[in-house]
Amino acid sequence: MAASGIKPGVPVILRELEPSSPFFKHGQSLRVTGRLQSYQAETGIAEMSDGNVILKIDTRHLSDLIFSAGSLYQFIGELVIGFNTQDVLLQARVGRMVDGLDLNLYQQSLHLSRKLESYISNTSRSKKNLG
């Protein structure tokens, strides 16, 4: 079976998308969640936010998704960073409405999941060094 060129979207919190973040790379495949602030049908550009952080989402490749300002959405796609690091958007390939999701609980579970992955990785490295 041939390997696919599509990478899984790494779950990130919008506040983590700053130039110093390891997730802030052109072409990085991400999964972002936030509240829809606006949607322009003519351009297919949506703006989502989490707190005071806003991210533009290019939704032109999505179909059958109804946009409703104020609702929670989750998108998976690739990060596109322009010459100016302020020009950032996510080229979405998958999107869904996730109203009903407790965003604070989701973010806590993401933090705990990363902590567990780090622990497992460190434990695995320690065992290799002992063996």
Side-chain angles (χ1 to χ4, degrees), residues 106-124:
Y106 174 78
Q107 291 172 351
Q108 287 175 23
S109 67
L110 179 56
H111 175 72
L112 289 172
S113 177
R114 288 181 182 165
K115 208 170 173 180
L116 177 62
E117 288 172 5
S118 176
Y119 172 78
I120 290 171
S121 177
N122 290 338
T123 302
S124 175

Side-chain angles (χ1 to χ4, degrees), residues 35-39 47 66-73 97 99:
R35 194 159 302 282
L36 185 70
Q37 296 301 311
S38 65
Y39 174 70
E47 285 188 342
I66 298 170
F67 295 96
S68 176
S71 288
L72 282 177
Y73 286 84
M97 182 186 286
D99 277 346

Side-chain angles (χ1 to χ4, degrees), residues 43-61:
T43 61
I45 300 295
E47 285 188 342
M48 68 185 309
S49 69
D50 179 13
N52 61 351
V53 178
I54 295 176
L55 179 65
K56 290 182 180 180
I57 312 291
D58 183 344
T59 65
R60 289 178 289 175
H61 299 294

Side-chain angles (χ1 to χ4, degrees), residues 1 3 5-6 11 15-16 20 23 26 50 52 54 56 60 65 69 80-81 92 94 113 124:
M1 179 183 216
I6 299 175
R15 292 184 301 269
E16 296 174 322
S20 63
F23 304 113
H26 184 79
D50 179 13
N52 61 351
I54 295 176
K56 290 182 180 180
R60 289 178 289 175
L65 187 60
V80 177
I81 303 172
V94 178
S113 177
S124 175

Side-chain angles (χ1 to χ4, degrees), residues 28-46:
Q28 175 75 41
S29 186
L30 301 174
R31 177 176 24 154
V32 295
T33 306
R35 194 159 302 282
L36 185 70
Q37 296 301 311
S38 65
Y39 174 70
Q40 296 177 354
E42 309 81 44
T43 61
I45 300 295

